Amino acid sequence: MPAWRTVATPILFAVALPLAVFYVLRSQGISQWLALTLSGAVPAVRMAVEVATRRRVDSFEAFMIGMLAVRIVTSLLVGSPRVILVKDAGLAAAAGFWILGSLLVAKPFAFQAGQSWHGPTAARTREAAWRVSPALRSGLTRLTALWGCAQLLDCGAGVLVALLLPVESVPALNRAKGLALLCAVVLITVSYSRRYRRRHALSLFGSSPLITRRKGSSS
């Protein structure tokens, strides 16, 4: 899949389509509560279809599907649009705590995300690099902390927006805020990864030149 599609597809289904569904429904006189509930189902449906097509699911996808399912069910039980908006912002906190919690397990979120982008051969190379390189483990741990804290910041700002601003404007403002924060974190990640590669001759997210050279020198 081209790089632009890898980036654009999640934005389309997590940002553009939910917003379009919400404001189209509102323009047709649908209540704020129902419009928010239906628009919030779009990311969950997309993720479920993708997982069913691949017939496999990684741990983060399973977590997010569970959180989105809880969001839909609780939205049906809560009659207040503002409570739904606050709860939506809470999804970012759940994701942030999940990402930071991965620092307590064998391999943090940044490593797991990188593995999901590669085929079996590159994934095995990264596994080998992880075992022998403290520098790689340190770099991916720092990026995991960055992404987790960014999600918590997104949640805090989202709750304030949901509580203080008119309900009608909150979906657009919160998604614009989330997209801006995501872009900032991606830029920081790319910049850090490039500096890291120049310093250590080691890729944080690709196959490891260090491991490749070691194998070549031993042959």
Side-chain angles (χ1 to χ4, degrees):
M1 178 182 292
W4 69 268
R5 287 184 61 186
T6 302
V7 174
T9 300
I11 293 175
L12 172 66
F13 284 95
V15 179
L17 281 181
L19 276 180
V21 169
F22 175 76
Y23 287 111
V24 167
L25 291 175
R26 289 294 295 139
S27 70
Q28 299 302 310
I30 303 299
S31 69
Q32 291 176 336
W33 171 81
L34 184 56
L36 286 169
T37 300
L38 294 176
S39 65
V42 173
V45 172
R46 179 252 174 177
M47 190 172 289
V49 169
E50 187 175 278
V51 168
T53 302
R54 294 201 318 263
R55 296 184 180 180
R56 64 179 177 83
V57 58
D58 61 35
S59 56
F60 186 68
E61 287 174 332
F63 172 78
M64 289 309 299
I65 289 173
M67 290 303 302
L68 290 169
V70 169
R71 181 220 186 267
I72 294 170
V73 171
T74 54
S75 294
L76 295 173
L77 300 176
V78 175
S80 168
R82 200 169 293 277
V83 171
I84 294 175
L85 292 170
V86 171
K87 182 163 50 59
D88 286 350
L91 289 176
F97 284 123
W98 190 93
I99 291 171
L100 293 175
S102 73
L103 294 172
L104 304 177
V105 300
K107 297 181 178 70
F109 170 78
F111 178 84
Q112 297 173 32
Q115 290 295 79
S116 69
W117 300 336
H118 295 291
T121 301
R124 286 193 295 270
T125 300
R126 294 188 80 247
E127 281 280 359
W130 174 267
R131 289 194 296 270
V132 302
S133 174
L136 180 67
R137 295 194 292 271
S138 174
L140 292 175
T141 295
R142 290 176 182 176
L143 287 181
T144 296
L146 169 69
W147 281 80
C149 290
Q151 289 295 307
L152 296 182
L153 177 62
D154 190 21
C155 170
V159 169
L160 289 177
V161 170
L163 290 176
L164 300 177
L165 297 179
V167 169
E168 209 69 27
S169 64
V170 171
L173 289 173
N174 260 345
R175 282 178 171 81
K177 173 263 303 170
L179 189 58
L181 183 59
L182 174 64
C183 290
V185 172
V186 168
L187 289 174
I188 294 171
T189 299
V190 171
S191 176
Y192 178 79
S193 298
R194 288 175 176 173
R195 292 198 309 271
Y196 185 93
R197 186 181 185 112
R198 288 194 298 267
R199 180 177 179 182
H200 297 282
L202 193 63
S203 172
L204 287 173
F205 294 105
S207 298
S208 166
L210 179 62
I211 297 297
T212 302
R213 284 203 303 270
R214 284 179 177 176
K215 287 183 177 179
S217 62
S218 64
S219 58

